Amino acid sequence: MTHNSTTFYSRNSLSSFKIFCIIIKVAMEERQQLNKCEGYLDWRNRPAMRGDHGGMLAASFVLVVEILENLAFLANASNLVLYLSKFMHYSPSSSAKIVTNFMGTAFLLALLGGFLANAFFTTYRLYLTSAAIEFVGLLILTVQAHIPSFKPPTCALASTEIPCQKVNAHKAAMLFTGLYLVALGVGGIKGSLPPHGAEQFDETTPQGRKQRTSFFNYYVFCLSCGALVAVTFVVWIEDNKGWQWGFGIATATILTSIPVFLLGSPIYRIKIPAGSPITTMFKVLAAAIYNCKSKNPSNAVMGMETCPSSYSVESSEGEERNTKVKVPIQTLTEDLKFLNKAIAGKPVNQMLQCTVKQVEEVKVVLRIIPIFMCTIMLNCCLAQLSSFSVQQAATMNSKIGSLKVPPASLPVFPVIFMMILASTYNHVIIPFFRKVTKTEMGITHLQRIGAGLVLSIIAMAVAALVEIKRKKVAVELGLLNSADSLPITFLWIALQYLFLGSADLFTLAGMMEFFFTEAPTSMRSLATSLSWASLAMGYYFSSVLISIVNNITSTFRHTPWLSGSNLNHYHLESFCWLMCILSSLNFFHYLFWANRYKYRTTSLAD
């Protein structure tokens, strides 16, 4: 009896222990499931976990890499206009166009980078690939700058008796191959690195959203840090030791950024590509047009009646659960009603079947497009910093005491101011306005962008006044036709740099966070790239505007406003006033769209 009782209790204890182990195992699995970052993997393609992956530590590697990447890019871009005119023998106007086209292409290719990151690659892999491409391009430019036979023979630019030999086709091909490989690499980096850093934060918590805002401010700060080294140390090396050393430093820097980026691999969380966002947009537009032409109102009615009450993600169950937690109940909205026709009860073609989620995502993208278009004019103004402003400074006295400052180092003034302002904005201005407005954002993204547009208007007015003063000195001293430096300090040019630098800080950080937070999660890399695409469009528009101005003014004058080899004969002050007027008109255009915009993320934060 005693033996049987012992056996009975032993078996019961064993069963209880097994049940206890099962309960513990289930609880641990549930906890692990809750801690998973749905839609994210680590670098070994395992599910990313909260607490182990992401956060400010992971984003800090991105910030350090951005310092190195921007140093490599701006080390040559800021001074490139002088390299093209002095060593490649292009005219000032042609040099300015080449630089603006190069910068524009680099930033426009960020759209390609953002698309690839969303559709096929991860931001992690895309950065590594793009950095390797930029390294190859910089290596080609370094070789060309180092070997004299790859460049035109040196000559005295001031000499009118012996004209400088223009660069031939083979040498120009090598130059542009290197430049546009760099542009391709920069585009991929700009399209992948900012969203990769922003995706390290959990947007379902107030702390995560605040940290993400801080990340974008720190990102602009790190951009400025890289630019500071580029426009001081590297530019001095290029002017005093040779361009081969400047290109060489940029080449070594971008190569160094790759292992630095890889150091953060164990703690990165990496967004799973969700397929082509462009395909979704075209599908919704095509379905809306087809259903509109079919003139079958029952389709729209049936779509409205049968639409799901919440967002659904078709890629995986995990993403669907995660999305339903984050996003409130969603139905078709009243704005852009034309797209509502994409919801059909019985679509003729299964490929044109759309969900409410897809329709609303396309609406979000279409709503942010006008804001994007309004920022192009500001970046057109910024294009002048790397072209005409550098050439202006080259005609002026660039000494501060006994120190001779290279003209391309002028951006050091706005860069330092941007670094100070970025820190002040993040630690003083934002907390203050959060207390005043009692909101999570403090200052809205659109308010930041608007402040930048106002500063760009002031900058162009200042630039016009400074150019009037510079030419007045040249006329009074009879130096209009001379290549000698004018006895006027180049610090006057720093004023327009200061205002444009401040405008860039407000607008770039505001744009990047605005596009990232407002865009659907499946399109965030592509949407963030709109910030760089705005820069590209600004640079391209600058080139187009110069051509238009020259064509129009040449019909009324013997020489166009912006043509020739002598900057003193340019009517640059009139061009700056034109930019000021266009920027003012653009600001009123922006106010129209900004006042009509309704934030998508307001309801999500609540």
Side-chain angles (χ1 to χ4, degrees), residues 491-517:
L491 293 178
W492 285 103
I493 305 293
L495 290 174
Q496 64 207 54
Y497 275 77
L498 191 65
F499 283 106
L500 280 175
S502 303
D504 192 23
L505 170 68
F506 277 98
T507 307
L508 181 59
M511 275 196 300
M512 293 180 71
E513 187 174 7
F514 173 73
F515 292 139
F516 184 89
T517 56

Side-chain angles (χ1 to χ4, degrees), residues 301-509:
V301 174
M302 291 178 66
M304 292 291 289
E305 291 175 349
T306 60
C307 67
S309 61
S310 63
Y311 280 7
S312 62
V313 180
E314 289 120 8
S315 58
S316 68
E317 280 185 26
E319 287 187 27
E320 185 172 5
R321 285 197 302 271
N322 188 48
T323 309
K324 288 185 178 180
V325 170
K326 291 181 183 178
V327 183
I329 293 175
Q330 181 74 31
T331 58
L332 288 171
T333 55
E334 291 298 315
D335 58 335
L336 298 173
K337 286 184 178 180
F338 168 75
L339 293 178
N340 292 349
K341 297 181 183 295
I343 303 291
K346 294 180 180 179
V348 176
N349 192 326
Q350 196 67 21
M351 293 181 62
L352 294 180
Q353 185 173 5
C354 302
T355 64
V356 175
K357 171 184 178 292
Q358 291 172 334
V359 173
E360 291 302 310
E361 284 183 348
V362 173
K363 287 184 179 181
V364 169
V365 174
L366 293 180
R367 282 197 294 265
I368 65 178
I369 291 297
I371 304 297
F372 158 73
M373 298 296 292
C374 291
T375 61
I376 293 175
M377 191 62 215
L378 179 142
N379 291 307
C380 180
C381 298
L382 285 173
Q384 311 313 312
L385 294 184
S386 57
S387 55
F388 288 127
S389 295
V390 176
Q391 293 176 350
Q392 281 177 290
T395 68
M396 303 166 77
N397 180 14
S398 60
K399 287 186 177 180
I400 301 179
S402 58
L403 177 65
K404 184 175 177 63
V405 180
S409 292
L410 263 178
V412 70
F413 298 103
V415 163
I416 292 175
F417 185 74
M418 284 174 66
M419 293 171 66
I420 297 172
L421 187 58
S423 301
T424 305
Y425 183 87
N426 194 60
H427 297 287
V428 178
I429 298 176
I430 283 290
F432 173 76
F433 277 98
R434 279 174 178 162
K435 290 181 180 179
V436 171
T437 61
K438 299 186 184 303
T439 61
E440 187 177 289
M441 297 175 67
I443 300 176
T444 67
H445 308 135
L446 294 179
Q447 288 171 345
R448 290 190 69 173
I449 296 172
L453 296 180
V454 172
L455 288 169
S456 69
I457 297 170
I458 299 172
M460 286 295 97
V462 170
L465 295 173
V466 169
E467 177 62 9
I468 290 172
K469 182 177 180 64
R470 188 191 72 84
K471 289 184 69 175
K472 183 180 179 181
V473 172
V475 171
E476 289 176 349
L477 299 178
L479 297 176
L480 274 178
N481 298 318
S482 174
D484 296 335
S485 297
L486 300 174
I488 177 176
T489 177
F490 78 133
L491 293 178
W492 285 103
I493 305 293
L495 290 174
Q496 64 207 54
Y497 275 77
L498 191 65
F499 283 106
L500 280 175
S502 303
D504 192 23
L505 170 68
F506 277 98
T507 307
L508 181 59

Side-chain angles (χ1 to χ4, degrees), residues 53-64:
H53 301 97
M56 189 57 78
L57 179 61
S60 64
F61 285 96
V62 175
L63 296 175
V64 174

Side-chain angles (χ1 to χ4, degrees), residues 78-79 230-233 235-236 239 405-413 490:
S78 62
N79 206 18
V231 301
T232 53
F233 174 70
V235 167
W236 183 88
D239 287 348
V405 180
S409 292
L410 263 178
V412 70
F413 298 103
F490 78 133

Side-chain angles (χ1 to χ4, degrees), residues 282-293:
F282 279 119
K283 182 174 75 169
V284 171
L285 292 172
I289 294 171
Y290 180 84
N291 292 336
C292 182
K293 288 183 177 181

